[in-house]
């Protein structure tokens, strides 16, 4: 399970907890209602206090913001909305001074239609950059070349009247796909990675990495047999010819090779699809991602037996020696506190930090931020605007961070770009920092426990039989055994123990150093970490 280098040094991306920040929603410094780099800079002491070892930043590059930064018009500059390259450099320096690594979102699949590459590509069929994007003639009967659909709805092909061809866009029509079959594109993107690596970035999270390559024959996608009136229209076909193509894996290997030109860096990847195919994103002919992102905890029904099965399936699906990774929150997924409620959000937090592998959580998870209530009519997210009525709106989880209980929650002096949402009075940093039993205090203690307990980083994972709603497993090193027991039910449970132990931490933060004998009593929604004692203890 755990791979170490010959010198036994554990790489930073295995040891640390990673904290995703959506810069638009973290901290505004200039009163325009949108978070920025200087705002983030003002909060680095909070990140150090919390104990995170790395921050993952959603895109801050120049962009028309049709998809809020995931439509990039210049890969090597910062958008003025967020600040300047100098601001970025100051932020990296400040984080590094506090021993916090920086992971930057990169978007290789597509650019903005305002990127200079696409402007040239669109100018003429003879332009040298024409083949940097995916262009095709109309189909045999006119219209789009095939049946491929955009993930944001409608055909994935957009007609260009000037050059009388279609271009392909897996997402918005303002996000034309780069042609990764073209080695010039791959070389140009390698230089983009080097640009940021030279500025001190410690790694990248690669957006939409599974869809880099499309079938060069442009074959029609087959029908989705599960498609019905409840399924979003973009899922009408199975994405056989546009998703996880074999060529994509070699392109990821090339990105990994660029990252490895620099010492001590990491490559994370967004990989769509189920657990069954996640293993291929680790290694092939050459190494691929250090951490292919795993959303099982967000996508699994919250029952002990279901969680135990999912965890087992995932651990068995990744290759021997591969390092697991777990995600509890994301800018693209509903908030865990809204999915489970606050009581089970504590259980989820303990599970995240006790499982083997790297834990990743999203800014605001540590204070129990809920989804903001944002109607379809008020949505800013293009996904909801283009595919309404299917619950695809991502605005609710992108609501601004709450720093205090003031009118604007300490996020801005202006009008927040999205509503703050409910429960600001108690679910904010200032209120919870002063409460030793708050969810924020629990996160801080869990992060610290993982940092100081070798069994939780490099130790073995030993699943136990989970019954009556209690998820049980152990983390073991040569000289220590830690038992983790998580009650996923809203009623008390009793579990027999084979050995006595000392309770190290519980999710309610009101029990510590208690001796536990033959029976473990768990209150409703309670999780515990127990150090199993030897017979001589």
């Amino acid at each position: 399970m755990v791979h170490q280098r010959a010198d036994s040094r554990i790489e930073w991306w295995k040891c640390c907890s990673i904290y995703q920040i959506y810069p638009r929603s973290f901290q505004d410094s200039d009163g325009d209602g949108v978070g920025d780099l200087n705002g983030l800079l003002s909060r680095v002491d909070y990140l150090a206090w919390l104990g995170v070892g790395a921050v993952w930043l959603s895109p801050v590059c120049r962009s028309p913001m049709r998809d809020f930064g995931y439509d990039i018009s210049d890969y090597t500059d910062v958008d003025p909305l967020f600040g300047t390259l100098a601001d970025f450099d100051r932020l990296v320096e400040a984080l590094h001074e506090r021993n916090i690594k920086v992971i930057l979102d990169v978007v290789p699949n597509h650019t903005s239609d305002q990127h200079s590459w696409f402007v040239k590509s669109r100018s003429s069929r003879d332009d040298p950059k024409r083949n940097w994007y995916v262009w095709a003639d109309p189909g045999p009967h006119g219209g789009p070349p095939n049946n491929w659909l955009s993930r944001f709805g409608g055909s994935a092909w957009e007609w260009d009247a000037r050059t009388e061809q279609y271009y392909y866009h897996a997402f918005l029509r303002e996000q034309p796909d780069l042609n990764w079959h073209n080695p010039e594109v791959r070389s140009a993107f390698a230089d983009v990675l080097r640009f940021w690596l030279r500025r001190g970035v410690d790694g990248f999270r690669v957006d939409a990495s599974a869809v880099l390559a499309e079938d060069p024959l442009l074959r029609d996608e087959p029908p989705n047999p599960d498609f019905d009136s409840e399924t979003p229209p973009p899922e009408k076909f199975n994405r056989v010819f546009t998703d996880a193509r074999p060529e994509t894996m070699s392109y990821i290997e090339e990105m990994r090779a660029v990252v490895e030109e620099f010492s001590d860096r990491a490559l994370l990847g967004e990989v769509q699809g189920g657990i069954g195919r996640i293993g291929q994103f680790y290694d092939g002919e050459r190494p691929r991602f250090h951490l292919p992102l795993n959303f099982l905890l967000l996508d699994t029904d919250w029952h002990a037996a279901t969680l135990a099965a999912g965890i087992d399936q995932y651990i068995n699906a990744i290759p021997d020696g591969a390092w697991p990774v777990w995600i509890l929150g994301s800018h693209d997924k509903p908030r865990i506190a809204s999915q489970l409620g606050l009581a089970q959000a504590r259980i989820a937090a303990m599970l995240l930090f006790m499982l083997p592998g790297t834990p990743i959580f999203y800014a605001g998870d540590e204070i129990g931020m809920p989804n903001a209530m944002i109607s379809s009519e008020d949505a800013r997210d293009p996904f909801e605007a283009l595919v309404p009525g299917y619950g695809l709106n991502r605005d609710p989880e992108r609501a601004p961070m709450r720093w205090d209980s003031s009118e604007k929650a300490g996020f801005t002096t202006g009008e927040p770009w999205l509503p703050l949402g409910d429960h600001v009075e108690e679910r904010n940093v200032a209120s919870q920092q002063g409460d030793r039993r708050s969810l924020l205090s629990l996160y801080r203690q869990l992060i610290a426990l993982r940092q100081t307990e070798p069994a939780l980083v490099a130790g073995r994972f030993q699943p136990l039989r989970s019954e009556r709603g209690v998820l049980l497993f152990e983390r073991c090193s040569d000289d220590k055994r830690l038992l983790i027991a998580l009650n996923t039910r809203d009623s008390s449970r009793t579990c027999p123990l084979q050995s006595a132990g000392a309770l190290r931490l519980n999710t309610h933060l009101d029990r510590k150093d208690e001796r536990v004998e033959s029976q473990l009593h768990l209150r409703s929604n309670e999780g515990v970490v127990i150090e199993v004692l030897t017979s001589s203890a």
Side-chain angles (χ1 to χ4, degrees):
M1 169 65 65
V2 177
H3 168 74
Q4 297 185 34
R5 292 179 177 174
D7 63 0
S8 297
R9 184 178 71 89
I10 303 291
E11 296 92 329
W12 64 264
W13 46 271
K14 295 179 178 178
C15 298
C16 73
S17 302
I18 299 176
Y19 185 76
Q20 186 198 352
I21 292 174
Y22 193 66
R24 293 182 67 91
S25 297
F26 197 65
Q27 178 66 67
D28 175 25
S29 69
D30 58 12
D32 66 356
V34 177
D36 48 49
L37 295 178
N38 283 327
L40 204 165
L41 181 63
S42 72
R43 297 295 184 180
V44 294
D45 286 339
Y46 167 75
L47 301 175
W49 173 86
L50 184 58
V52 297
V55 295
W56 149 21
L57 302 181
S58 289
V60 295
C61 292
R62 280 189 179 268
S63 167
M65 300 294 166
R66 296 302 299 264
D67 193 20
F68 297 108
Y70 286 90
D71 51 324
I72 292 175
S73 57
D74 188 339
Y75 283 113
T76 57
D77 198 7
V78 169
D79 194 274
L81 187 70
F82 299 121
T84 65
L85 274 173
D87 295 331
F88 182 86
D89 292 341
R90 283 191 291 271
L91 175 62
V92 171
E93 181 180 9
L95 289 167
H96 283 172
E97 285 175 353
R98 292 159 177 82
N99 296 314
I100 299 173
K101 303 289 187 180
V102 180
I103 299 166
L104 187 63
D105 238 327
V106 290
V107 187
N109 180 70
H110 49 266
T111 69
S112 164
D113 61 357
Q114 297 182 30
H115 196 292
S116 62
W117 296 347
F118 187 70
V119 172
K120 292 176 182 177
S121 181
R122 195 176 200 173
S123 66
S124 166
R125 289 196 187 196
D126 298 324
D127 189 90
K129 285 193 167 51
R130 182 66 171 185
N131 197 36
W132 281 42
Y133 293 82
V134 183
W135 292 93
D137 291 326
H141 305 291
N146 59 28
N147 69 354
W148 295 355
L149 297 177
S150 164
R151 285 160 172 79
F152 283 167
S155 173
W157 296 97
E158 182 71 13
W159 177 249
D160 181 65
R162 176 187 295 177
T163 59
E164 297 185 324
Q165 277 190 318
Y166 286 89
Y167 68 83
Y168 174 67
H169 57 94
F171 297 92
L172 293 176
R173 66 180 180 181
E174 294 89 358
Q175 294 172 302
D177 273 47
L178 285 162
N179 177 16
W180 271 75
H181 294 294
N182 185 340
E184 292 180 354
V185 170
R186 304 200 298 275
S187 177
F189 203 83
D191 286 340
V192 168
L193 298 180
R194 294 184 183 101
F195 173 87
W196 293 107
L197 290 164
R198 291 180 182 122
R199 299 195 93 87
V201 165
D202 301 286
F204 301 101
R205 177 265 191 184
V206 182
D207 180 68
S209 65
V211 299
L212 289 179
E214 304 80 30
D215 174 40
L217 298 177
L218 305 184
R219 286 171 284 183
D220 280 348
E221 302 280 28
N224 176 3
D226 299 322
F227 183 79
D228 57 25
S229 60
E230 303 298 316
T231 310
E235 305 309 315
K236 183 177 181 180
F237 302 108
N238 282 337
R239 301 183 188 278
V240 173
F241 295 114
T242 55
D243 196 350
R245 302 293 299 168
E247 308 97 309
T248 293
M249 302 305 159
S250 66
Y251 303 154
I252 293 170
E253 291 169 8
E254 290 180 18
M255 281 191 266
R256 173 69 176 266
V258 173
V259 169
E260 291 189 344
E261 293 173 8
F262 298 76
S263 63
D264 212 22
R265 312 298 170 97
L267 195 64
L268 291 64
E270 179 188 22
V271 294
Q272 298 87 350
I275 287 173
R277 76 178 199 183
I278 201 165
Q280 68 181 319
F281 287 96
Y282 279 97
D283 290 292
E285 294 184 6
R286 294 180 291 170
R288 294 170 184 168
F289 290 124
H290 294 91
L291 298 176
L293 301 185
N294 161 36
F295 291 92
L296 182 142
L297 298 182
L298 287 170
D299 295 338
T300 300
D301 289 339
W302 202 256
H303 306 287
T306 309
L307 286 165
I311 292 166
D312 186 76
Q313 182 185 12
Y314 167 72
I315 288 176
N316 288 323
I318 66 176
D320 291 342
W323 192 258
V325 56
W326 309 89
I327 295 181
L328 200 61
S330 160
H331 67 293
D332 284 336
K333 298 276 189 176
R335 289 276 186 181
I336 194 71
S338 288
Q339 290 192 55
L340 304 181
L342 274 183
Q344 280 297 307
R346 287 176 173 262
I347 296 292
M350 181 169 280
L351 177 60
L352 174 71
F353 291 103
M354 297 300 103
L355 283 169
T358 299
I360 300 177
F361 63 108
Y362 178 44
D365 288 343
E366 73 273 25
I367 55 174
M369 274 184 62
N371 295 328
M373 298 298 293
I374 299 172
S375 68
S376 181
E377 294 76 18
D378 296 330
R380 302 284 300 276
D381 183 10
F383 211 174
E384 180 64 22
L386 295 170
V387 191
Y390 292 91
L392 301 175
N393 188 6
R394 299 168 297 180
D395 288 342
E397 56 264 29
R398 298 177 179 185
M401 184 71 172
R402 295 95 163 277
W403 296 101
D404 56 43
S405 59
S406 63
E407 181 184 0
K408 305 295 177 58
F411 167 70
T412 183
T413 58
E415 187 63 29
W417 78 283
L418 282 175
L420 293 168
D422 298 330
H423 308 295
V424 175
E425 295 78 10
E426 67 274 13
R427 300 192 200 182
N428 68 76
V429 171
S431 296
Q432 294 194 26
Q433 270 189 313
D435 180 357
R436 63 181 182 85
R437 292 180 57 188
S438 67
L439 180 60
L440 178 57
S441 294
L442 175 63
Y443 264 83
R444 189 171 185 238
Q445 291 193 42
L446 287 166
I447 292 169
L449 181 62
R450 185 179 181 275
Q451 288 297 110
T452 56
E453 189 55 74
L456 293 176
V457 175
R460 299 181 301 279
F461 172 75
Q462 180 61 53
L464 301 175
R465 186 178 177 88
S466 297
E467 294 182 319
R468 302 180 65 238
V470 178
L471 180 63
L472 290 164
F473 58 90
E474 288 186 349
R475 300 299 310 281
C476 309
S477 61
D478 291 340
D479 59 354
K480 188 169 291 187
R481 287 170 55 201
L482 297 176
L483 171 68
I484 292 87
L486 303 170
N487 185 2
T488 64
R489 301 280 183 85
D490 193 21
S491 55
S492 60
R493 290 288 185 269
T494 299
C495 303
L497 297 180
Q498 295 181 347
S499 305
L503 195 150
R504 293 279 302 274
L505 185 67
N506 78 320
T507 52
H508 296 356
L509 295 179
D510 60 356
R511 300 168 66 187
K512 195 169 185 180
D513 299 326
E514 293 181 10
R515 188 176 176 93
V516 182
E517 300 291 345
S518 59
Q519 295 286 327
L520 170 63
H521 300 284
L522 292 172
R523 291 167 289 180
S524 62
N525 307 300
E526 183 178 24
V528 298
V529 180
I530 294 172
E531 183 175 340
V532 178
L533 302 177
T534 63
S535 57
S536 60

